[in-house]
Amino acid sequence: MDTNMHKMNPNKYLTGLLLTLSFALAGCAGTTPDVRTKRDDVVAVIDKVNTYWQMHTPAKEWSFWNVAAYHTGNMEAYRITGNERYRRYSEEWAEHNEWMGAKSKDKAKWQYQYGETDEHVMFGDWQICFQTYADLYQLEKDPRKIARAREVMEYQMSTPNKDYWWWADGLYMVMPVMTKMYNITGNRQYLEKLHEYYEYANSIMYDADAKLYYRDARYTYPKHKSVNGKKDFWARGDGWVFAGLAKVLAELPKDDPYRAEYVARFQAMAAALKNSQQPEGYWTRSLLDPAHAPGPETSGTAFFTYGLLWGINNGLLSRADYLPAAQRGWHYLSTFAVQPDGKIGYIQPIGDRAIPGQVVDKSSTAHFGVGAFLLAAAEMVRLLDH
């Protein structure tokens, strides 16, 4: 035993013991980690993965969700490392898109069902970019960076409609926009509408028995079933929700009247997710029926690992109960999903469900999965800093 143990911060020592225990548990579950995770190692993985991505991917891409989701992770990597190259990459992307999502100026034509055109201004997949614009604004407060975000969101909130978030992904895309814009503007309507839209999403997608979300109303049980007749909860869909709740709680005022409700949902989801993790540390694409689409999948696993670590780091999840699951997730991500050159593999392609027979292998990569990995890695650093 380390003879300097008595000089250590007791919280750090407890974290070390729990990390060691979780490695032991992971070893029992078919993996063989044999050393404690070190902060420098995690930062090195962040740099390896992010450097590979930015070297192979131009910053000047569109502001749609798949690219914008990467930037939400890149900004967390910047916060952890202070690497200005990461910030400049997101700044270049934002400038390329003129700090906008969908660019229509005619509000009479604005839509929010699925669409990739400039008229789909109120569709959440075009609004996730506002998260990164808001983060960049907080670093250098030029009003131009959030002007379009304010125009779009404040117009949307002026409408009587509440069914803007009709698919699970939308909760990650836009819920954090609402808290970020509240913290910039002080406009309480952002938090009221956040809850109103969230309640609508719950009414059509949430399964109170399983404590999980269907991807959208098309996939609710028993209308839709897995190949074995079970409820089919898509991993990345629930990953969007779980990570979105974490990001909301990170910036929601402590005295928000709905905070306890979000916390309860986050904790209930965490318990359900812990129970559906595979022994190797990953989650399969259909959470409650691993045989539906077997094998590892990185994007859902990364979002779940991020959420579990965030919950532990912020006192909402018990370290003793959840650290082993979080550490198994991180072990999968850092030793299996990351390829030798820094590429992140095993990311299910863009879609809306778990597809039996779909090939997901070490060459399967995508913006959003890399972003999710960076979120998880940043929270692992924060865990080691506690």
Side-chain angles (χ1 to χ4, degrees):
M1 186 173 288
D2 187 344
T3 56
N4 291 322
M5 182 183 71
H6 66 283
K7 297 180 182 178
M8 294 176 65
N9 179 307
N11 289 332
K12 285 190 176 182
Y13 180 61
L14 175 60
T15 298
L17 286 177
L18 288 169
L19 284 168
T20 303
L21 173 62
S22 66
F23 277 128
L25 289 170
C28 292
T31 55
T32 56
D34 56 4
V35 295
R36 274 182 52 181
T37 300
K38 296 182 175 63
R39 186 190 200 278
D40 289 350
D41 293 340
V42 181
V43 172
V45 170
I46 290 173
D47 191 58
K48 180 179 183 179
V49 166
N50 218 17
T51 296
Y52 176 90
W53 184 260
Q54 293 185 7
M55 283 181 63
H56 290 83
T57 313
K60 293 180 179 179
E61 295 188 289
W62 67 344
S63 56
F64 204 44
W65 74 273
N66 60 318
V67 177
Y70 162 77
H71 287 275
T72 65
N74 184 52
M75 291 304 295
E76 284 302 304
Y78 168 71
R79 288 191 181 98
I80 283 295
T81 65
N83 189 327
E84 282 295 312
R85 180 165 49 85
Y86 302 167
R87 182 197 60 77
R88 287 195 300 270
Y89 185 88
S90 284
E91 191 98 16
E92 183 180 355
W93 168 74
E95 288 285 0
H96 172 69
N97 289 291
E98 303 175 66
W99 304 91
M100 301 173 79
K103 295 180 178 178
S104 168
K105 296 180 180 178
D106 184 353
K107 293 181 176 65
K109 294 182 179 178
W110 287 6
Q111 302 173 48
Y112 61 92
Q113 294 305 307
Y114 183 88
E116 301 181 10
T117 74
D118 275 334
E119 280 68 49
H120 287 83
V121 174
M122 297 187 293
F123 177 39
D125 282 6
W126 280 116
Q127 296 175 342
I128 178 178
C129 59
F130 298 152
Q131 291 190 42
T132 297
Y133 302 168
D135 289 345
L136 290 167
Y137 169 85
Q138 294 287 21
L139 298 174
E140 184 181 356
K141 295 185 177 179
D142 179 349
R144 181 175 64 98
K145 297 178 179 181
I146 56 163
R148 179 63 169 183
R150 292 196 66 173
E151 178 189 18
V152 170
M153 301 313 299
E154 290 171 17
Y155 172 79
Q156 181 170 309
M157 294 189 303
S158 76
T159 72
N161 306 29
K162 63 181 181 180
D163 57 343
Y164 289 104
W165 302 341
W166 48 266
W167 75 120
D169 319 30
L171 297 181
Y172 182 88
M173 308 305 167
V174 199
M175 285 200 303
V177 171
M178 308 298 266
T179 48
K180 291 177 186 294
M181 295 306 295
Y182 167 77
N183 285 321
I184 289 171
T185 66
N187 180 353
R188 174 74 207 175
Q189 190 181 25
Y190 279 105
L191 302 185
E192 292 296 331
K193 290 295 182 178
L194 161 61
H195 188 258
E196 183 179 331
Y197 302 162
Y198 168 74
E199 280 194 314
Y200 173 79
N202 289 333
S203 75
I204 61 170
M205 291 182 285
Y206 182 65
D207 187 298
D209 294 326
K211 313 297 188 206
L212 294 169
Y213 284 78
Y214 298 105
R215 195 275 179 175
D216 60 57
R218 294 172 298 164
Y219 297 111
T220 56
Y221 182 88
K223 177 171 58 178
H224 169 81
K225 301 175 183 177
S226 73
V227 292
N228 293 307
K230 299 180 180 180
K231 293 178 178 180
D232 185 19
F233 296 103
W234 181 44
R236 187 158 70 237
D238 277 278
W240 291 124
V241 180
F242 191 55
L245 285 167
K247 287 172 70 71
V248 162
L249 288 166
E251 300 197 57
L252 190 72
K254 299 298 184 186
D255 61 353
D256 184 88
Y258 308 117
R259 186 177 181 87
E261 182 182 337
Y262 300 129
V263 168
R265 178 61 47 84
F266 176 78
Q267 292 172 330
M269 286 192 75
L273 294 168
K274 181 165 75 86
N275 291 336
S276 61
Q277 186 181 31
Q278 299 304 298
E280 299 84 358
Y282 62 80
W283 280 262
T284 55
R285 283 163 276 172
S286 183
L287 293 174
L288 301 188
D289 188 357
H292 179 82
E297 199 286 310
T298 295
S299 62
T301 297
F303 280 132
F304 298 148
T305 302
Y306 159 68
L308 293 176
L309 288 167
W310 184 90
I312 294 165
N313 288 340
N314 289 277
L316 297 184
L317 299 177
S318 159
R319 288 181 177 231
D321 291 338
Y322 287 95
L323 187 57
Q327 189 61 38
R328 284 194 295 271
W330 175 248
H331 184 256
Y332 159 79
L333 292 169
S334 59
T335 66
F336 191 83
V338 178
Q339 303 307 299
D341 58 2
K343 182 178 184 177
I344 300 288
Y346 298 93
I347 298 170
Q348 183 188 359
I350 290 173
D352 57 6
R353 65 194 185 281
I355 302 172
Q358 183 181 35
V359 174
V360 176
D361 59 23
K362 66 181 182 180
S363 298
S364 305
T365 196
H367 298 75
F368 48 85
V370 178
F373 177 91
L374 294 174
L375 290 175
E379 283 305 314
M380 177 54 74
V381 173
R382 293 185 177 109
L383 176 83
L384 296 167
D385 283 346
H386 276 194

